[in-house]
Amino acid sequence: MAIDTHTAPATPAAAQAPQDGRLSGRAKLVLFVLCAAQFMVALDFSILNVALPVLGDDLGLSRSALQWAVTAFALPSGGFLLLFGRIADLYGRKKLFLTGLALFGAASLLAALAWDPASFLTGRALQGLGAAVIVPTGMSLLTTTFPEGPQRDRALGISGTLLSLGFTVGMVLGGVMTDTLGWRSTMGLLAVAAVTVLALAPGLLPESLPHSLKGMGGAPIPDRPRLDVPGAITVTGGLLALIYSLSTAAQRGFGGADVWGTLVAGLLLLAAFVVVESKAAAPLVSLPMLKRRTVAWGNLGGLVTFSMMSTVIFVLTLYLQEVLGLSSFKTGLVFGVQGAMSAVAGSYAAKVIGRFGARRTLVVSLLGQGLFIALLLALGRESGALLATVAVSLASMCHLGAIISYGLTVTSGVPDEEQGLATGLVTTTQQVGITIGIPLLGVLATTGDDLFHGVRTVLLTDAVIVVAAAALVAVGLGRRKV
């Protein structure tokens, strides 16, 4: 049974508030729950990074095997996003969101109590699977709960700010907790966070089954649309292979046969996915949706802003610690300032987007990000910490604007029953962007004999790519026809 795309779901009670961006008390609670879940997942991406050496010694993980503490999470969290986003569209977002929270909490507890490498990596993989459920369902619940306009702009502004802060706070908090309470406390914190959100969510979040999937009195009917299994297999397999190859390349370079083998396999599977979707009666991804200029060009902007900013953070960490000789604490302060400035940008993002529009904000934000990254080319071998702090903070403010505006660009005008798919594309773009930037550009800084020269090469390449993307997105979004 097909989804009736002409019947819009009723506006959830949480969103029934004045259309000037103000939120009711209940709407604020709903937003808190959804943003807390997104922040928790963002925290998980970085909170363990500084704890890896201590963790390895405790569990007996070799230095070469430590990459799997990150890769075991990244593989399922990126590979299953589209699949779970579509399942949520078809079978209901609230129940799937709660299931993801429960899985994430249990997996975090397993990782905190791990007794050997296998149990720890199993916990990390299950965390990633839980994140792959939470992120697209949480985002689609947000975009369907808050109507398009000032309310959604404000909600996505707050969500984007917390997403950006989560990565930064994770880096700082991970170091403090590891030094004082041990690395297991970082995983324990995530378990507590998941349980807290899980306790609050059921009574606040609305269910979101499309009307065409409901019978008399709103009860779900048994004849539900079927999931596109061939599409699910090819896209999930392709993303898993692609993320594995790029994550491995970040650690060992592109010389290994397994890296090239999985990279080629991933690209072939994604190509097969496009063919499958063009012939499927009920495709996992609607190709006409991908042809929307807002979806295509918006996601390009998102891919570039995430991949290039993650690369800048990576090479700046190397520069500050290995070229300037700063301690981990002082390096953390640099990124702490960056996080605070991102929060400032997030507080004004909705107003800026409301005045100038999401598309224009996306283009200008990308341009600003590229230009402030270019400013980092003035860093020196003996000094540059202050310049690095100022430039990366300004670039991050623009990056935050790009995050929020590209999410609004991609999801605007999309029917509620396809919001899971749209937000699945948004979050898949985020994950792939975070994954591919460091392997593709970061190796330029680490493979040569002169680290400082390598850092400059990466920053120059990074800035050129972001500015070029700004120009392409401006042209693409400016076209009158798709």
Side-chain angles (χ1 to χ4, degrees):
M1 181 176 180
I3 297 176
D4 180 8
T5 57
H6 300 290
T7 304
T11 303
Q16 293 176 356
Q19 295 300 303
D20 59 358
R22 290 179 296 167
L23 304 177
S24 67
R26 183 177 179 83
K28 290 177 181 178
L29 289 174
V30 171
L31 182 59
F32 170 79
V33 167
L34 295 175
C35 287
Q38 301 287 343
F39 180 81
M40 175 185 69
V41 173
L43 200 67
D44 198 14
F45 277 104
S46 59
I47 195 170
L48 201 63
N49 288 352
V50 295
L52 289 179
V54 177
L55 181 154
D57 292 340
D58 186 28
L59 292 180
L61 274 170
S62 65
R63 178 172 297 178
S64 61
L66 283 178
Q67 62 159 315
W68 283 101
V70 177
T71 303
F73 178 87
L75 279 171
S77 66
F80 288 95
L81 279 168
L82 275 178
L83 174 59
F84 285 124
R86 190 53 177 162
I87 290 174
D89 280 340
L90 298 180
Y91 300 103
R93 300 176 182 114
K94 179 179 177 179
K95 291 180 181 178
L96 197 60
F97 179 74
L98 297 178
T99 301
L101 284 171
L103 176 59
F104 187 90
S108 299
L109 183 60
L110 174 59
L113 300 175
W115 54 92
D116 60 14
S119 58
F120 173 73
L121 294 177
T122 299
R124 289 292 286 165
L126 291 174
Q127 274 185 323
L129 193 63
V133 177
I134 293 168
V135 172
T137 53
M139 282 291 290
S140 57
L141 280 168
L142 188 150
T143 55
T144 54
T145 299
F146 298 94
E148 197 168 325
Q151 284 191 28
R152 187 182 294 178
D153 292 355
R154 184 178 180 188
L156 283 176
I158 295 172
S159 177
T161 301
L162 290 176
L163 178 68
S164 179
L165 278 176
F167 293 106
T168 304
V169 170
M171 294 176 64
V172 178
L173 191 60
V176 173
M177 294 185 69
T178 300
D179 287 343
T180 57
L181 300 174
W183 70 267
R184 295 177 187 274
S185 65
T186 63
M187 297 292 97
L189 175 66
L190 296 172
V192 172
V195 170
T196 302
V197 176
L198 185 59
L200 296 173
L204 290 172
L205 299 181
E207 189 47 273
S208 57
L209 282 175
H211 281 183
S212 59
L213 295 183
K214 297 178 181 179
M216 295 297 294
I221 60 177
D223 185 17
R224 299 172 187 253
R226 292 179 298 174
L227 183 66
D228 173 22
V229 176
I233 292 173
T234 50
V235 73
T236 302
L239 288 172
L240 286 172
L242 183 66
I243 293 170
Y244 171 84
S245 64
L246 293 175
S247 297
T248 305
Q251 303 294 328
R252 297 193 278 109
F254 284 93
D258 60 330
V259 173
W260 283 106
T262 51
L263 179 61
V264 171
L267 293 175
L268 289 176
L269 283 169
L270 291 177
F273 169 69
V274 175
V275 175
V276 167
E277 297 306 277
S278 66
K279 299 179 180 179
L284 180 68
V285 173
S286 169
L287 294 184
M289 174 179 282
L290 293 177
K291 293 179 181 179
R292 293 173 182 253
R293 71 174 185 271
T294 53
V295 173
W297 293 105
N299 273 303
L300 174 63
L303 181 69
V304 170
T305 193
F306 271 102
S307 60
M308 295 299 101
M309 200 64 211
S310 65
T311 304
V312 169
I313 300 301
F314 174 73
V315 297
L316 273 186
T317 301
L318 295 178
Y319 167 78
L320 292 170
Q321 294 189 10
E322 299 189 26
V323 176
L324 296 187
L326 296 187
S327 65
S328 298
F329 176 74
K330 290 182 179 179
T331 301
L333 289 180
V334 171
F335 294 116
V337 173
Q338 172 209 0
M341 296 303 289
S342 295
V344 171
S347 66
Y348 288 98
K351 294 180 180 179
V352 172
I353 292 171
R355 181 172 181 179
F356 298 104
R359 302 181 193 185
R360 187 177 298 176
T361 303
L362 174 58
V363 172
V364 174
S365 295
L366 285 171
L367 181 61
Q369 179 179 329
L371 293 178
F372 287 122
I373 290 171
L375 185 60
L376 289 167
L377 293 171
L379 296 174
R381 289 183 182 271
E382 303 297 331
S383 62
L386 178 59
L387 174 60
T389 303
V390 173
V392 77
S393 295
L394 293 173
S396 291
M397 293 177 74
C398 295
H399 169 62
L400 198 283
I403 290 174
I404 298 170
S405 55
Y406 107 84
L408 284 168
T409 299
V410 172
T411 58
S412 62
V414 176
D416 277 0
E417 59 268 24
E418 293 185 357
Q419 281 293 334
L421 172 57
T423 56
L425 290 171
V426 169
T427 49
T428 298
T429 295
Q430 293 174 1
Q431 178 61 50
V432 173
I434 292 169
T435 303
I436 67 173
I438 295 173
L440 292 179
L441 292 185
V443 293
L444 297 176
T446 58
T447 54
D449 295 330
D450 187 346
L451 177 61
F452 178 70
H453 177 73
V455 168
R456 285 178 54 84
T457 300
V458 171
L459 291 174
L460 175 61
T461 307
D462 195 298
V464 170
I465 290 174
V466 178
V467 172
L472 288 173
V473 171
V475 172
L477 291 178
R479 294 166 54 201
R480 292 186 178 273
K481 295 183 179 181
V482 176

